[in-house]
Amino acid sequence: MAAELSDTVSTRPRRAAEFREALAQTQRFTQSRIDRILGIVVGSGSAVIGVQSLVGALNAPVGDPTWNTVLLVVVLGSLLLMCIALLTSRGVRLFSGIFAAIFPVAILLWPLAAAETTQLDEQPWLWFLINIGTVAAVFCSPLPFQIVWAFLLPVLYGTMRLILLGAAPTAVLDVALDTLFAIILASVLIVIGWILRSLAASIDTGREGAVRSFAQAAAADAVEKERVAVAALMHDSVLAALIAAERAETERERALAVSMAREALTRLANVDQDAGEGPDAPVTPAAIAADLAQTARRLHPDATVSSEIQPDARALPGRVVRALQLAATQAITNVVEHARGANLTVSFRADAAGVEIRVSDDGPGFEAERVAEDRLGIRASIIARVAAVAGTATVDSGPAGTTVAIEWQERS
């Protein structure tokens, strides 16, 4: 028994660790999937826009070929790495941060590579990447930094664009509209990302709370079941063994009491297993009646035992038989202990519909409402045990005596 308890205690830290691991997985369940979806969408879109920007750069006039080549390699290379990271969900924060940091520097150095022009009908290749720089900030930085980047990149682009175009009114108006459009689009992208992530976080928070509540309820239920099981075993199995040992007078009776005590200790050691332990092979009504009669006369030699078995009576599953026998044993033990076995009568009846066991006495009886909550002889060892196998147990007690009726019927 000590070894069983030691094993149970030693497994508690492991079970607690498993629960914490499962809880950690639920904390970002939805967020991780939202990030994954955003990564695929943004990565694919950024790759397409990157190709468009490359085509534009190759067709645009070049001021300094060296600087132009350096900017193309650095900007589009970092963009390629970011797209791969987003599509594979590997190093997203790192490569998004690299592109978000490189892009404003590339805008500042852009006048060194681009040729001066007065044409407003064609957008330069950096124009296509402004909002990708903002999206990169969404994946690598907190919300305040994202807002700063949503304004900084368009303003930097507009400033450098005016340096190349000059300060003509037409150029200023056109660049201002482009800058305002880029800021609005960047703000929309930031808001969409923030809304999706906030919803995912709220869903994960609700799921985490539900998991914690379920775990607490399951733990409380397990503790209660264990308490009931241990109390029931201590109350009926061990008590029956003690009564048998007290009444034992012959060597055979003493050996029988020892056997009962050994069985009670075995069941107590296996309390963490299912209640329906043992084989489930069918048991005939005749065998049930014989065991019931033997138990009744062992606990009280003067007990009156009768049985009525119809020809169409069927065998019962082993787990059902064990539950009914233990419940009947507890009822008989209660009569012996509390009513001193006054006119103890045990009757057994079996037919095609099922079985019925009645244990009655002429004792003083009791009031069920006054039975203490921690007394489990009737609640757990009789009523709950029979209910666990889809049977019914009723207790009718009064000044003239007590009758415990245990019934189990075959379900079609």
Side-chain angles (χ1 to χ4, degrees):
M1 183 63 181
E4 293 287 340
L5 291 175
S6 177
D7 292 342
T8 302
V9 173
S10 64
T11 58
R12 288 177 181 174
R14 175 172 57 82
R15 293 175 180 174
E18 292 175 354
F19 169 71
R20 287 194 296 269
E21 181 180 356
L23 187 60
Q25 293 176 355
T26 64
Q27 289 176 346
R28 283 187 54 85
F29 180 85
T30 307
Q31 295 180 62
S32 61
R33 278 149 182 78
I34 289 294
D35 289 341
R36 177 59 177 158
I37 294 173
L38 289 176
I40 294 175
V41 173
V42 173
S44 303
S46 299
V48 173
I49 296 175
V51 172
Q52 182 183 5
S53 178
L54 176 61
V55 172
L58 295 177
N59 295 327
V62 177
D64 187 328
T66 302
W67 275 107
N68 187 71
T69 302
V70 172
L71 288 180
L72 281 175
V73 172
V74 173
V75 173
L76 297 182
S78 60
L79 175 61
L80 177 61
L81 294 176
M82 186 186 78
C83 292
I84 295 175
L86 290 172
L87 293 174
T88 59
S89 297
R90 297 287 188 275
V92 174
R93 292 178 61 88
L94 174 62
F95 293 106
S96 297
I98 291 175
F99 182 78
I102 287 176
F103 190 69
V105 178
I107 295 177
L108 291 174
L109 298 177
W110 174 39
L112 299 177
E116 294 187 6
T117 179
T118 58
Q119 296 181 0
L120 297 174
D121 54 345
E122 293 184 1
Q123 294 288 0
W125 65 277
L126 283 176
W127 160 255
F128 302 103
L129 304 179
I130 292 178
N131 292 125
I132 295 182
T134 304
V135 172
V138 172
F139 282 95
C140 69
S141 59
L143 183 61
F145 186 84
Q146 299 172 24
I147 297 174
V148 170
W149 235 236
F151 285 88
L152 175 64
L153 297 184
V155 170
L156 282 179
Y157 168 80
T159 303
M160 296 302 106
R161 178 71 164 156
L162 287 177
I163 291 176
L164 294 173
L165 293 175
T170 305
V172 172
L173 179 60
D174 186 78
V175 172
L177 291 176
D178 288 344
T179 302
L180 183 60
F181 173 77
I183 292 175
I184 294 174
L185 182 56
S187 302
V188 171
L189 294 176
I190 291 175
V191 169
I192 291 176
W194 176 78
I195 291 175
L196 291 176
R197 286 179 168 179
S198 299
L199 290 175
S202 63
I203 293 173
D204 287 336
T205 301
R207 181 184 290 107
E208 179 185 355
V211 171
R212 288 185 181 276
S213 299
F214 176 79
Q216 293 173 356
D221 182 67
V223 170
E224 181 63 19
K225 287 183 178 179
E226 183 178 5
R227 185 183 73 84
V228 171
V230 172
L233 287 172
M234 291 296 294
H235 194 280
D236 52 8
S237 299
V238 178
L239 183 59
L242 292 176
I243 293 177
E246 180 185 10
R247 295 178 178 275
E249 296 179 355
T250 65
E251 289 297 328
R252 181 178 179 279
E253 291 176 347
R254 294 189 184 95
L256 185 60
V258 171
S259 176
M260 292 177 60
R262 185 180 294 111
E263 180 182 358
L265 292 175
T266 301
R267 291 181 58 82
L268 189 60
N270 296 330
V271 70
D272 58 333
Q273 300 180 4
D274 293 338
E277 62 183 39
D280 199 29
V283 181
T284 62
I288 300 174
D291 290 341
L292 185 62
Q294 181 181 5
T295 300
R297 292 195 172 94
R298 182 181 70 244
L299 296 177
H300 190 66
D302 296 332
T304 301
V305 182
S306 63
S307 62
E308 179 183 352
I309 302 176
Q310 300 296 329
D312 56 354
R314 303 177 182 178
L316 275 65
R319 59 182 178 83
V320 174
V321 173
R322 285 191 296 277
L324 299 182
Q325 288 178 336
L326 289 173
T329 301
Q330 178 61 48
I332 297 172
T333 302
N334 289 345
V335 174
V336 175
E337 181 180 359
H338 301 292
R340 300 186 181 277
N343 194 20
L344 172 60
T345 302
V346 180
S347 63
F348 174 79
R349 185 179 186 278
D351 54 24
V355 298
E356 180 186 17
I357 302 173
R358 300 180 71 87
V359 179
S360 60
D361 63 77
D362 292 343
F366 64 94
E367 295 183 16
E369 293 78 8
R370 295 188 177 183
V371 177
E373 292 291 335
D374 59 343
R375 300 300 298 272
L376 303 177
I378 294 177
R379 294 188 183 93
S381 299
I382 299 179
I383 298 177
R385 174 171 281 145
V386 175
V389 293
T392 58
T394 58
V395 180
D396 183 15
S397 184
T402 302
T403 299
V404 177
I406 301 172
E407 298 182 7
W408 187 87
Q409 293 185 352
E410 186 77 26
R411 297 293 190 272
S412 57

